[in-house]
Amino acid sequence: MSEKVCDKHGCKRRKIFRRIIAGILIFILIVLITILIVWAILRPTKPRFILQDATVYVFNVSNPNVLTSSFQVTISSRNPNDRIGIYYDKLDLYATYHSQQITYKTSLPTTYQGHKEINVWSPYVYGNAVPVAPYNAVSLTQDQSSGIIPLMFKIDGRVRWKVGTFITGKYHLYVRCSAYINFGDRQAGTAVGNNAVKYQLVQSCSVSV
């Protein structure tokens, strides 16, 4: 008789346990659905980046196929969202030439960007005796002869979105800013020091998150 009573108590405990688990799962599901609905209503838009200008201090190619360069670039970022903030947790800026990295990575300050806010960075980017692939060295010589060198300033980073008090996990941020530097005509830029020329670009960048 006692065994049957124990079995009944065991069944009740299992039923209570199942109900608790089911309640927790339903609660989590409701929270997730609520977040998705809010997210869909707010429709977050990725930030917009603009390459404002680039100052060239050094850009020398020497044998055997090494490049020494130094730039200061001004890049702005705008958060177009009305109700969503953006945390920039990590931002690394560097320059490439025909998909080859030609400078070291420069870390930009981490920051929080509120609704409709604009942030501006003016970091230095440089590379000292960076080896250049032979095929790029040939192309670089040809571009120098024509006077215009196509560069790409890239930002790789991590961002988080803030909706009210809710903050998402980290997302990859990729920014690509094209810059056509007219080395053949110094009048295309503004002299800002010894052998330094500042070029106004105002170039919209491609952004993917």
Side-chain angles (χ1 to χ4, degrees):
M1 183 71 180
S2 60
E3 291 182 359
K4 291 182 179 180
V5 172
C6 290
D7 288 342
K8 289 181 180 178
H9 286 304
C11 290
K12 288 182 179 179
R13 283 195 296 267
R14 284 194 292 272
K15 288 181 180 179
I16 294 173
F17 180 75
R18 290 195 197 101
R19 288 174 181 174
I20 293 173
I21 296 298
I24 293 173
L25 292 176
I26 292 172
F27 174 77
I28 293 174
L29 182 61
I30 291 173
V31 171
L32 291 175
I33 291 174
T34 302
I35 292 173
L36 288 174
I37 292 174
V38 172
W39 192 256
I41 293 173
L42 295 177
R43 290 179 294 181
T45 303
K46 58 191 177 184
R48 296 168 183 167
F49 282 76
I50 295 178
L51 176 61
Q52 302 284 359
D53 57 61
T55 302
V56 182
Y57 292 93
V58 179
F59 196 87
N60 293 327
V61 183
S62 58
N63 292 325
N65 300 334
V66 294
L67 173 63
T68 296
S69 61
S70 178
F71 309 92
Q72 184 181 18
V73 297
T74 301
I75 297 177
S76 64
S77 169
R78 180 177 180 272
N79 177 7
N81 296 287
D82 291 320
R83 300 181 180 86
I84 299 176
I86 304 173
Y87 284 99
Y88 294 99
D89 291 327
K90 181 182 179 182
L91 296 172
D92 290 329
L93 171 69
Y94 57 96
T96 65
Y97 174 78
H98 287 191
S99 301
Q100 180 181 354
Q101 185 174 334
I102 60 172
T103 67
Y104 310 125
K105 290 184 177 181
T106 297
S107 294
L108 304 182
T110 59
T111 186
Y112 171 75
Q113 190 174 58
H115 318 144
K116 300 292 185 178
E117 283 187 356
I118 297 176
N119 291 86
V120 180
W121 298 275
S122 295
Y124 288 89
V125 189
Y126 68 95
N128 185 25
V130 177
V132 179
Y135 57 87
N136 274 342
V138 173
S139 179
L140 186 56
T141 301
Q142 294 173 347
D143 287 339
Q144 281 185 307
S145 298
S146 68
I148 298 178
I149 297 180
L151 300 177
M152 181 79 73
F153 290 97
K154 298 182 177 182
I155 297 177
D156 294 342
R158 301 287 188 278
V159 295
R160 290 176 295 158
W161 307 93
K162 182 176 183 292
V163 183
T165 58
F166 173 74
I167 300 175
T168 69
K170 294 183 179 181
Y171 290 81
H172 290 275
L173 173 71
Y174 301 100
V175 182
R176 302 294 180 260
C177 305
S178 299
Y180 293 90
I181 309 298
N182 192 344
F183 287 93
D185 182 11
R186 292 179 65 88
Q187 298 300 319
T190 303
V192 293
N194 294 331
N195 298 321
V197 180
K198 183 176 184 179
Y199 298 91
Q200 297 293 335
L201 302 171
V202 193
Q203 180 69 41
S204 295
C205 307
S206 65
V207 180
S208 59
V209 180

